[in-house]
Amino acid sequence: MAEPEEPQRQATNSFGEELRKEREIRGISVEEIAEATKIRKGFLEALERNEFSALPAPAFTRGFVRAYARYLGLNPEEMVDRYVFFERSARKGINEMPTPLISNDSAALQKLRESRERVRRNAIIIIVAFIILALAAAAIWYSMYRPKTNFVPKPPVAEVSAAPLTASGADTATSATPAASPFVSPSTRPSSTAPISLTIRATENTWVDLQADGRAVLTGEVSAGDEKSFQAQNEFKFATIGNAGGLTLELNGKALMPLGRRGDVVHDRIFDRTSVITLGPASGVR
């Protein structure tokens, strides 16, 4: 029984050795082939060692050989035929080997390099295309399902102005003209240093940009039901209110007229110790 072992070893050594030499000539590692073909490294090493018993069924192994040869730039079908020959020879103990495929032909190696480069370029193109499609799908999803608010902050809408009113709601002198400055002269303000207070209550979600003595104290959305209080030495200025009908105001504990209707956007509303400057719609607001 010892005699048949030697022919079988000689017959089966050639196939795996040819694969290994072809791979080494091209400077390719087993790991690189495994990564490119998605074949387990252990199976590729078993092919190179002629350990056919460690490989799956012949139908699967032929697929491994075909992918291995294609990556090396060899003729896949010819290599599959050689595998079948050697595998059968190993089982039958036949010591016949076809002509080896090993070649150092530089033109063949150059062709292999070009083929591998094409494969890599195609892989990069596929990956980039996939990323672009994924980003486009994400953008479409966001545009369809992004959260929506019940008002649009700072749209360019027409505003209604009214004559200045005092903090208690009384009309100021009727001689005021539209060209008059919207700010009260500092000389007309009381000399009291006691701070003035402003309380805002939101009945609807409202965007508010509020300043106290020129310093920003509130910039952002006020949710329905929120109540906030602030103090200033001289004046409060609403730079912007995104939904004027969604706020109720108190100055030093006294209720003020609404600054506009629901959905109105108003700018530059100023409250000081003696008056409410450019208060917008007053008694006409419903």
Side-chain angles (χ1 to χ4, degrees):
M1 298 298 294
E3 291 300 324
E5 294 296 327
E6 182 64 20
Q8 177 176 341
R9 183 186 67 79
Q10 293 177 358
T12 57
N13 274 349
S14 295
F15 180 73
E17 184 178 351
E18 286 183 14
L19 287 180
R20 178 179 58 78
K21 288 184 178 180
E22 291 288 347
R23 175 177 59 77
E24 291 176 349
I25 287 173
R26 291 158 174 78
I28 300 173
S29 66
V30 176
E31 289 79 5
E32 181 179 343
I33 299 177
E35 175 67 22
T37 62
K38 308 306 179 185
I39 300 172
R40 285 171 48 184
K41 178 183 175 183
F43 289 155
L44 298 177
E45 292 174 339
L47 276 175
E48 292 187 353
R49 293 194 299 265
N50 304 299
E51 295 177 355
F52 300 130
S53 60
L55 295 168
F60 293 104
T61 303
R62 287 195 292 272
F64 295 167
V65 173
R66 188 175 287 107
Y68 191 120
R70 187 179 293 113
Y71 191 79
L72 291 182
L74 303 174
N75 187 314
E77 299 308 320
E78 183 176 349
M79 290 305 296
V80 169
D81 291 341
R82 295 176 70 82
Y83 157 72
V84 172
F85 174 84
F86 281 116
E87 192 272 337
R88 290 176 180 173
S89 298
R91 285 191 285 108
K92 296 178 180 180
I94 300 174
N95 186 20
E96 297 179 1
M97 297 175 289
T99 304
L101 291 175
I102 298 176
S103 172
N104 290 319
D105 185 73
S106 59
L109 292 179
Q110 180 62 27
K111 184 177 180 180
L112 171 64
R113 294 190 187 98
E114 293 174 355
S115 175
R116 289 171 57 194
E117 185 63 26
R118 284 195 299 272
V119 171
R120 288 173 180 167
R121 285 199 301 267
N122 291 339
I124 292 174
I125 292 173
I126 292 172
I127 292 172
V128 171
F130 177 80
I131 292 174
I132 293 174
L133 289 175
L135 292 175
I140 293 172
W141 182 92
Y142 180 77
S143 65
M144 294 177 62
Y145 298 103
R146 64 182 176 182
K148 295 180 173 60
T149 58
N150 60 356
F151 69 95
V152 179
K154 302 183 179 180
V157 298
E159 300 177 11
V160 180
S161 60
L165 303 178
T166 63
S168 62
D171 290 335
T172 57
T174 58
S175 60
T177 65
S181 171
F183 298 93
V184 174
S185 171
S187 61
T188 64
R189 292 176 177 155
S191 61
S192 172
T193 59
I196 56 177
S197 63
L198 176 69
T199 300
I200 65 174
R201 297 182 181 88
T203 58
E204 296 179 0
N205 291 354
T206 305
W207 177 272
V208 177
D209 184 354
L210 175 63
Q211 300 172 6
D213 296 329
R215 179 175 54 88
V217 294
L218 176 60
T219 302
E221 182 177 314
V222 181
S223 301
D226 285 355
E227 177 177 330
K228 299 180 181 296
S229 296
F230 307 92
Q231 288 190 338
Q233 288 298 321
N234 297 310
E235 68 177 24
F236 293 99
K237 176 181 178 180
F238 284 97
T240 302
I241 301 178
N243 179 17
L247 289 184
T248 60
L249 308 175
E250 288 184 5
L251 185 66
N252 283 358
K254 295 183 179 181
L256 300 176
M257 296 295 292
L259 299 184
R261 298 178 177 85
R262 180 181 184 184
D264 284 353
V265 177
V266 299
H267 304 286
D268 301 326
R269 294 297 191 263
I270 300 175
F271 300 80
D272 66 2
R273 298 178 182 280
T274 59
S275 62
V276 180
I277 309 301
T278 60
L279 187 57
S283 61
V285 176
R286 295 191 297 274

